[in-house]
Amino acid sequence: MQPYSDYEIAQRQVQTLRDKKDMFRVWLVVFLMMLFVALVSGGSASCSIPLAIVMGVFATATGIDLYYSLPEHAPNKAELEQEMEWLFGKDWQDRASTLAYESARQHIHRRRLTKWAFVGHVLFFIPLNGWIAFASRTAFHSDGIVMLAVALIWTIVLITHAMSAFPTARQLEIRERRFGKDFRLQYEINDNINAQLVAKLKPDTYYVVNGGGEFEAIGTIHDMYFVKLPQTKQDED
């Protein structure tokens, strides 16, 4: 039993896509404005170039996110079924709800973004870490050691990021199945809670969800079909 209907999930997907489009437009406009200021100022505005670079990074990141969120770039059937099998096991067809498919799609989406995040990490790493390593040669002894330590730690972080972004097929399967185990457990907990809630509901009774998130009875079928209408003064006469 899923907490949202298929229609509600579709609405959320459409709204999320609209929000991503709006966010991309905002970052793109801001980037173009900062780039225009940097070109017009001719370098006199010292902060305009770094700001334009930062805005460009954000615009690129949101653009990549939007690109993979478009329906034409959605995961293909084979990818989606493989992810469903990892998350829900061999009997994943029993969990083949709209919400389950959306969860699998989001996993694939995040993996794609992680790969591009690594590319951005490398583009920052090469010039900055190279400059740190080069500057450490001319720095004082203690400062040089600190700078080399920073360069080494950053290199280790980059290697870890690479292993996370580009795992082997076996590593990816193990990671997704481990997450799927926790995912299925949470699903079972939600199903048990929903079953307990439904068991408490009386048959032939209409309910609404109150402000506390609990079901509140508003009437029975008998009340709905056999409502005693108030008598008018003419009826009394």
Side-chain angles (χ1 to χ4, degrees):
M1 183 176 181
Q2 60 186 34
Y4 305 106
S5 67
D6 293 351
Y7 176 71
E8 289 173 324
I9 294 174
Q11 278 188 316
R12 288 169 176 262
Q13 291 174 339
V14 172
Q15 186 59 47
T16 300
L17 185 58
R18 288 175 180 172
D19 293 341
K20 289 182 178 181
K21 288 180 178 179
D22 292 339
M23 185 62 65
F24 173 68
R25 293 188 185 103
V26 169
W27 283 117
L28 183 61
V29 169
V30 174
F31 165 68
L32 293 176
M33 289 176 59
M34 295 306 305
L35 184 62
F36 176 77
V37 171
L39 294 175
V40 171
S41 62
S44 58
S46 58
C47 64
S48 60
I49 295 178
L51 284 176
I53 294 175
V54 172
M55 297 302 106
V57 170
F58 279 106
T60 303
T62 53
I64 293 172
D65 187 13
L66 175 61
Y67 176 85
Y68 286 120
S69 299
L70 296 174
E72 55 267 31
H73 301 125
N76 58 45
K77 182 179 179 181
E79 286 180 300
L80 205 54
E81 291 182 350
Q82 179 63 80
E83 188 66 27
M84 289 287 290
E85 196 272 331
W86 285 340
L87 292 178
F88 298 102
K90 294 182 179 180
D91 57 344
W92 61 269
Q93 290 89 347
D94 298 335
R95 295 284 191 180
S97 63
T98 304
L99 183 61
Y101 274 113
E102 177 62 15
S103 300
R105 191 187 67 81
Q106 287 295 331
H107 268 251
I108 299 173
H109 181 77
R110 283 193 291 268
R111 286 205 301 270
R112 290 173 170 179
L113 296 184
T114 300
K115 293 178 180 180
W116 280 102
F118 175 76
V119 173
H121 191 173
V122 171
L123 293 177
F124 276 96
F125 172 84
I126 293 176
L128 294 180
N129 207 46
W131 176 83
I132 292 174
F134 179 79
S136 64
R137 300 175 58 185
T138 58
F140 291 108
H141 181 68
S142 57
D143 295 338
I145 293 176
V146 172
M147 296 176 73
L148 286 176
V150 170
L152 177 61
I153 293 173
W154 194 356
T155 302
I156 295 174
V157 171
L158 182 71
I159 294 173
T160 304
H161 192 178
M163 294 173 63
S164 175
F166 299 94
T168 63
R170 181 57 180 167
Q171 289 173 336
L172 178 60
E173 179 181 355
I174 293 174
R175 186 175 68 188
E176 292 301 296
R177 288 189 184 278
R178 186 184 299 118
F179 183 87
K181 183 178 180 180
D182 298 333
F183 199 72
R184 291 194 299 272
L185 178 60
Q186 186 61 46
Y187 242 88
E188 292 174 1
I189 293 174
N190 290 338
D191 285 346
N192 291 334
I193 293 175
N194 291 331
Q196 293 174 8
L197 289 174
V198 172
K200 294 179 180 179
L201 303 181
K202 298 178 181 179
D204 301 331
T205 304
Y206 292 97
Y207 291 86
V208 295
V209 179
N210 59 26
E214 299 177 350
F215 289 109
E216 180 180 346
I218 60 173
T220 63
I221 293 179
H222 181 275
D223 297 332
M224 298 298 176
Y225 284 95
F226 303 97
V227 179
K228 185 178 180 180
L229 298 175
Q231 290 185 346
T232 62
K233 187 175 181 180
Q234 183 179 359
D235 294 334
E236 292 176 355
D237 294 340

